[in-house]
Amino acid sequence: MTDVPTGARHVLILGGTTEARRLAARLADEPRLRVTSSLAGRVAEPRLPVGEVRVGGFGGTEGLARWLCEHQVDAVIDATHPFAGTISFHAARAAASVHVPLLALRRPGWVAGPGDRWHHTDSLAGAAALLPGLGERVFLTTGRMGLAAFAHLTGPWFLVRSVDAPEPPHPPRMEVLLDRGPFTVAGEAGLLRRHRIDVLVTKDSGGAATAAKLTAAREAGVPVVVVRRPPVPEGVPVAEDPAGAARWLRTVLG
């Protein structure tokens, strides 16, 4: 633990997203704050934020509530991935149980524009159900954790992009591309051409780092299956960017 001034307010940032790292950097120069960033540990070599970092789970709602009390946390900012639903609900219950203010930091979702051929669904299983009618060569960009939803599809060929190598179960006809954003429109367009992709599957993660694939798909006339993000837990306020999160902190911490 780094040295912090006596009486500094302790802020816990959940998540290894771009927004979480930017928020940690923004708060690093605040002398009255002690900031701890917590990463889930699912990526082998994560991009680390500045300041204190802990890696690993808390042990559910009760474990997180206990950690908040033991480490005298004054505020929690849930800056996890928009699809990391479990930890968000654990955070909401834990923070409420020990009366610690909680904010969700969520980048805005993507919005379809002219020329986009988007098909929305609420789950990966729903995305899998849509594929047979849309294409046979699939660019799957939903991450390595949900491939089981597509494992029963023996007809389509999948190009799966993820940061770390996926584990079974996964589609039988599959090529893995290990890569990490940000990506460019030219690079994504070339990928679609080389692999003769005729349908793209993505989660509505939002943000600019991986949005280039949507532009490339639009320009190529490739349909896109978009999995809607789960809702933020009821009653939890939301900020769309680190600046908004910093303003909320000033309000709740005084």
Side-chain angles (χ1 to χ4, degrees):
M1 186 182 76
T2 56
D3 293 333
V4 293
T6 302
R9 312 298 294 276
H10 192 185
V11 179
L12 175 65
I13 301 176
L14 300 173
T17 59
T18 300
E19 290 74 22
R21 293 192 299 274
R22 289 176 178 169
L23 179 60
R26 187 185 188 98
L27 301 179
D29 295 329
E30 291 281 350
R32 67 191 187 98
L33 296 181
R34 171 191 169 192
V35 179
T36 301
S37 296
S38 178
L39 311 183
R42 292 181 176 175
V43 177
E45 297 182 5
R47 292 172 175 166
L48 297 178
V50 299
E52 295 181 44
V53 179
R54 71 172 299 278
V55 178
F58 291 94
T61 300
E62 293 182 0
L64 177 53
R66 185 165 53 251
W67 199 95
L68 296 179
C69 291
E70 291 175 350
H71 294 80
Q72 299 179 311
V73 173
D74 296 290
V76 180
I77 297 180
D78 171 16
T80 55
H81 190 277
F83 284 83
T86 299
I87 182 59
S88 294
F89 281 92
H90 286 174
R93 297 186 188 107
S97 71
V98 296
H99 308 291
V100 173
L102 168 70
L103 173 81
L105 173 53
R106 293 288 186 274
R107 68 188 79 146
W110 291 316
V111 178
D116 284 319
R117 299 168 57 195
W118 288 11
H119 303 263
H120 286 92
T121 183
D122 290 324
S123 66
L124 292 177
L130 288 173
L131 283 180
L134 292 175
E136 297 181 352
R137 297 185 65 83
V138 185
F139 186 19
L140 188 58
T141 65
T142 56
R144 64 187 178 92
M145 304 301 291
L147 294 187
F150 303 90
H152 66 287
L153 296 177
T154 58
W157 176 88
F158 290 84
L159 176 64
V160 175
R161 182 165 67 194
S162 62
V163 176
D164 294 319
E167 298 179 355
H170 51 62
R173 303 179 62 218
M174 178 184 77
E175 179 178 331
V176 176
L177 174 62
L178 299 181
D179 205 353
R180 187 196 319 242
F183 303 104
T184 66
V185 174
E188 300 289 65
L191 202 64
L192 298 182
R193 287 194 302 270
R194 286 195 304 276
H195 294 279
R196 295 179 288 116
I197 299 298
D198 55 16
V199 60
L200 166 67
V201 181
T202 184
K203 293 177 178 178
D204 181 15
S205 301
T210 59
K213 62 191 173 188
L214 301 174
T215 303
R218 180 194 312 130
E219 293 176 351
V222 170
V224 182
V225 177
V226 181
V227 181
R228 297 184 183 93
R229 59 176 63 178
V232 171
E234 187 176 356
V236 176
V238 179
E240 292 188 347
D241 54 34
R247 287 193 297 270
W248 174 84
L249 269 179
R250 288 194 292 271
T251 300
V252 300
L253 297 182

